[in-house]
Amino acid sequence: MSARKIIIDTDPGQDDAVAILLALASPEEIEVLGITAVAGNVPLPLTSKNARIVCELAGKHDVKVYAGCDRPLGRDLVTAEHVHGKTGLDGPVLPDPQMPLQEQHAVDFIIDTLRAHKPGTVTLCPLGPLTNIAMAFEKAPDIMDRVQEIVLMGGAYFEVGNITPAAEFNIYVDPQAAHIVFKSPAPKVVMPLDVTHKALVTKPRNDAFRALGTKVGIAVAEMTDFFERFDKEKYGSNGAPLHDPCVTAYLIKPELFSGRYINVEIETHSELTMGMTVADWWGVSGREANALFIGDVDADGFFDLLTERLARL
Ligand code: RIB
Ligand code: CA
């Protein structure tokens, strides 16, 4: 089967970095058409720099990286340095990127790429706030029907919020954008905290990254060593949750994951629950299903796949 063509939209972020590395290590299954950076974990100048740092860490200097939106559609930017550190990639010491940013704006790259490829052949993989994707849909509504699938990390139901009591960070930062994306006709697969909190980098798993003995393996071990603090303190987790790599792993081995095709709506009015993903897991609303909402993962299988692929870089 030919590799799936994807655009990764991202706000690196240590977990974004691991998701990008997994994608770049899997050319049989994934062809990365480009990486688009968005403001999220840290401001856009850093996310667009970090995306290039990660590509160069993978030895993939020819990947095209585009800078996108530097703030949400209708709200002030909220960042997460308390989780990811002031650079957004705290942990390893990695060299500044040599590869340039592309001139074109990320939103225009998304539009042009979807228009240039046959309908249903390009998958969008948002790993941060959905601002770039929503802007592209607003600017060029014709592309919505051309999207093969949107496989995104965001939201929560049983796990509720990680940035407010009700909302997960990616959706909370730009709820208006999330509403536009979830309202779109494009088929959607959602990786919420419900599943990503089951993909924890326990010490044996971190040791396995480090035991690769490669630049990539050691850097990933150092990233997750840093990144785990927030979740360990807040949830008492047994390691860092690898949120964004669930998206890439799904593209490679969907059988590792399970969920329900349900209705998911976004709270965009109440400040109390702003950005909440109202996921009708029990089918009580009568609203039409619009997303495959993932609730479970074979965590050992996930880490076996991730470690095996990282060893290739
Ligand atoms: O809530 C987790 C999500 O927010 C992840 O994508 C992480 O990188 C941050 O963007
Ligand atoms: Ca992210």
Side-chain angles (χ1 to χ4, degrees):
M1 192 164 80
S2 63
R4 192 193 280 230
K5 297 179 189 303
I6 75 168
I7 295 174
I8 298 174
D9 189 71
T10 180
D11 64 335
Q14 290 88 349
D15 61 316
D16 302 69
V18 181
I20 293 167
L21 291 170
L22 178 54
L24 296 177
S26 308
E28 301 91 336
E29 297 93 350
I30 296 172
E31 180 186 350
V32 178
L33 299 178
I35 295 178
T36 52
V38 68
N41 284 322
V42 286
L44 182 68
L46 282 173
T47 59
S48 52
K49 173 181 173 187
N50 292 344
R52 288 175 287 154
I53 287 175
V54 175
C55 290
E56 293 186 349
L57 173 64
K60 308 291 183 189
H61 298 70
D62 54 349
V63 175
K64 292 185 170 25
V65 177
Y66 301 78
C69 299
D70 64 0
R71 75 200 63 187
L73 295 186
R75 294 170 67 83
D76 293 339
L77 177 62
V78 171
T79 52
E81 288 86 350
H82 61 292
V83 179
H84 299 275
K86 66 177 176 32
T87 71
L89 271 189
D90 282 28
V93 177
L94 297 170
D96 283 350
Q98 299 306 307
M99 62 196 280
L101 265 180
Q102 297 302 305
E103 287 296 312
Q104 189 179 31
H105 191 282
V107 169
D108 295 324
F109 168 72
I110 292 167
I111 294 168
D112 291 353
T113 302
L114 282 163
R115 285 177 173 163
H117 287 80
K118 274 175 55 190
T121 62
V122 175
T123 294
L124 302 179
C125 297
L127 309 179
L130 291 162
T131 316
N132 287 341
I133 310 299
M135 280 288 275
F137 286 1
E138 292 289 284
K139 190 172 179 183
D142 61 286
I143 66 171
M144 289 191 284
D145 285 326
R146 304 180 69 90
V147 177
Q148 177 178 19
E149 200 169 45
I150 300 174
V151 185
L152 68 92
M153 190 279 142
Y157 179 60
F158 293 101
E159 284 294 287
V160 289
N162 61 357
I163 185 80
T164 73
E168 176 278 327
F169 179 79
N170 288 341
I171 308 299
Y172 176 72
V173 169
D174 200 339
Q176 283 68 28
H179 174 66
I180 289 166
V181 171
F182 276 77
K183 197 166 45 86
S184 76
K188 290 169 280 293
V189 180
V190 180
M191 293 288 168
L193 297 179
D194 303 52
V195 63
T196 68
H197 279 179
K198 296 173 181 172
L200 299 179
V201 184
T202 58
K203 182 155 183 353
R205 290 164 178 167
N206 185 280
D207 290 346
F209 295 150
R210 205 177 292 274
L212 293 175
T214 58
K215 227 175 18 141
V216 167
I218 291 164
V220 168
E222 292 172 340
M223 282 183 201
T224 49
D225 270 343
F226 178 88
F227 168 57
E228 71 177 12
R229 291 168 305 103
F230 171 78
D231 290 85
K232 275 190 158 180
E233 280 159 31
K234 174 168 182 166
Y235 296 100
S237 304
N238 197 17
L242 282 188
H243 307 290
D244 296 336
C246 287
V247 169
T248 327
Y250 179 82
L251 300 178
I252 301 168
K253 283 188 91 172
E255 62 272 22
L256 290 173
F257 299 87
S258 62
R260 286 184 188 177
Y261 187 60
I262 61 171
N263 177 269
V264 181
E265 304 282 344
I266 310 297
E267 174 62 74
T268 56
H269 299 292
S270 156
E271 278 304 329
L272 180 64
T273 53
M274 183 60 70
M276 181 176 189
T277 44
V278 182
D280 189 5
W281 185 262
W282 303 111
V284 297
S285 71
R287 290 191 292 264
E288 191 182 343
N290 60 348
L292 176 59
F293 197 81
I294 301 295
D296 210 354
V297 59
D298 165 3
D300 288 335
F302 170 80
F303 279 95
D304 289 349
L305 171 69
L306 176 57
T307 308
E308 177 259 318
R309 294 297 165 103
L310 291 177
R312 296 178 172 188
L313 296 174

